[in-house]
C-alpha cells in the first residue's frame, strides 16, 4: 500500500484526518474501504448535500449508511447538529465506525437495524432525512416521511428505476412540495499508459422533496 493511502486498520489513537477547506467534497481516498463497500463518489456527495440543505443545528437521519462517507460529510459541516445513521449490515457498521474514528467525528451516531422496523431507535422529529436505497422503498419512505417535521427535507438516492418510480409515485400521493428529480453520472479521467479515457461511475437517481408547513394530524 502506498504511504499516502488510508490504512484499513486505523488505530483508535490515529490523528483525525485533516481537511482544512471550507468546501464539502472530501476525497474518496480519505475513506477506508472494504470488499463490497466503496464511498459514494465525491461529486455525487456534493450534489446530495446541496439538495439536503442541512442547517448548522439540524437533526439528520441517514437511513442506509453504507461506508458513512455522506453521513460524515454532513456531520462535519454542522458541529451543533447531529447525524443518526441506521445500517443493517454488520460489516458496513464496522466500516462506519472505522471511518467515524478516522475523522474524529463525535456528532455521528451509528445504530444497527433495518428500516422501517428499527427507525424507533433514532431520535424523533428529524428535520432532514437521507434515504439511500437499492430497491423499491414503499413502507420505508412512508415511515420516514411521517417522522419528518413540517418543512423538513427528504433526499432519496437510488440506482434503480424501480426505486425512482416508487419514490416519485409515493411522494405524489403524499402531496410533497418542491419535488426534484435528477439523474447524475460522474465521469472521471483515467490514464492507461499514454492514453486518457473517461470512465463512468454508476448513474444515480436523486429525488428531493420538502414536507408541507401544515401537516394534517394522522
Amino acid at each position: 500500500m502506498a504511504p499516502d493511502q488510508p490504512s484499513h486498520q486505523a488505530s483508535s489513537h490515529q490523528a483525525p484526518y485533516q481537511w482544512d477547506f471550507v468546501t464539502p467534497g472530501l476525497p474518496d481516498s480519505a475513506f477506508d474501504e472494504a470488499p463490497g463497500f466503496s464511498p459514494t463518489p465525491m461529486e455525487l456527495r456534493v450534489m446530495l448535500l446541496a439538495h439536503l440543505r442541512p442547517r448548522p443545528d439540524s437533526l439528520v437521519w441517514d437511513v442506509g449508511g453504507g461506508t458513512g462517507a455522506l453521513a460524515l460529510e454532513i456531520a462535519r459541516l454542522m458541529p451543533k447538529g447531529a447525524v443518526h445513521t441506521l445500517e443493517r449490515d454488520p460489516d458496513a457498521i464496522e466500516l462506519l465506525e472505522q471511518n467515524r474514528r478516522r475523522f474524529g467525528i463525535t456528532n455521528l451516531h451509528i445504530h444497527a437495524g433495518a428500516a422501517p422496523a428499527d427507525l424507533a431507535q433514532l431520535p424523533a422529529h428529524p428535520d432532514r432525512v437521507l434515504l439511500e436505497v437499492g430497491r423499491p422503498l414503499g413502507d420505508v419512505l412512508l415511515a420516514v416521511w411521517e417522522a419528518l417535521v413540517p418543512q423538513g427535507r427528504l433526499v432519496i438516492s437510488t440506482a434503480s428505476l424501480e426505486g425512482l418510480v416508487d419514490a416519485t409515485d409515493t411522494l405524489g400521493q403524499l402531496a410533497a412540495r418542491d419535488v426534484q428529480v435528477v439523474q447524475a453520472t460522474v465521469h472521471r479521467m483515467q490514464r492507461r499508459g499514454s492514453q486518457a479515457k473517461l470512465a463512468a461511475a454508476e448513474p444515480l437517481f436523486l429525488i428531493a422533496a420538502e414536507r408541507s408547513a401544515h401537516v394534517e394530524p394522522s
Side-chain angles (χ1 to χ4, degrees), residues 80-134:
K80 295 182 180 179
V83 180
H84 288 260
T85 184
L86 184 69
E87 175 57 52
R88 61 182 179 177
D89 189 313
D91 291 333
I93 291 170
E94 182 179 352
L95 189 59
L96 264 164
E97 178 58 31
Q98 189 169 307
N99 276 314
R100 189 191 67 78
R101 291 195 306 267
R102 176 171 174 75
F103 287 90
I105 297 292
T106 59
N107 60 335
L108 170 62
H109 309 278
I110 303 166
H111 305 265
D118 296 312
L119 288 172
Q121 294 185 37
L122 310 183
H125 313 306
D127 61 286
R128 298 293 185 271
V129 175
L130 179 68
L131 182 56
E132 300 171 85
V133 294

Side-chain angles (χ1 to χ4, degrees), residues 8-180:
H8 291 252
Q9 302 295 326
S11 166
S12 59
H13 301 293
Q14 181 181 16
Y17 183 89
Q18 295 299 307
W19 182 254
D20 299 326
F21 307 104
V22 297
T23 57
L26 291 159
D28 295 354
S29 60
F31 299 95
D32 287 342
E33 300 183 29
F37 297 98
S38 57
T40 303
M42 179 267 285
E43 295 85 354
L44 298 181
R45 272 184 273 125
V46 172
M47 185 177 293
L48 288 161
L49 271 165
H51 282 275
L52 189 65
R53 303 175 191 169
R55 299 183 184 277
D57 59 351
S58 281
L59 171 58
V60 180
W61 283 9
D62 176 27
V63 182
T67 63
L70 189 52
L72 284 160
E73 285 270 18
I74 298 167
R76 63 180 292 274
L77 291 174
M78 35 169 263
K80 295 182 180 179
V83 180
H84 288 260
T85 184
L86 184 69
E87 175 57 52
R88 61 182 179 177
D89 189 313
D91 291 333
I93 291 170
E94 182 179 352
L95 189 59
L96 264 164
E97 178 58 31
Q98 189 169 307
N99 276 314
R100 189 191 67 78
R101 291 195 306 267
R102 176 171 174 75
F103 287 90
I105 297 292
T106 59
N107 60 335
L108 170 62
H109 309 278
I110 303 166
H111 305 265
D118 296 312
L119 288 172
Q121 294 185 37
L122 310 183
H125 313 306
D127 61 286
R128 298 293 185 271
V129 175
L130 179 68
L131 182 56
E132 300 171 85
V133 294
R135 60 191 185 284
L137 43 151
D139 293 343
V140 179
L141 195 159
L142 292 172
V144 300
W145 188 260
E146 183 64 24
L148 194 64
V149 300
Q151 293 185 292
R153 289 188 64 80
L154 167 68
V155 173
I156 302 165
S157 64
T158 179
S160 75
L161 283 170
E162 293 87 355
L164 171 65
V165 172
D166 215 9
T168 51
D169 285 353
T170 304
L171 289 171
Q173 296 166 17
L174 295 169
R177 296 178 62 253
D178 191 27
V179 177
Q180 300 172 50

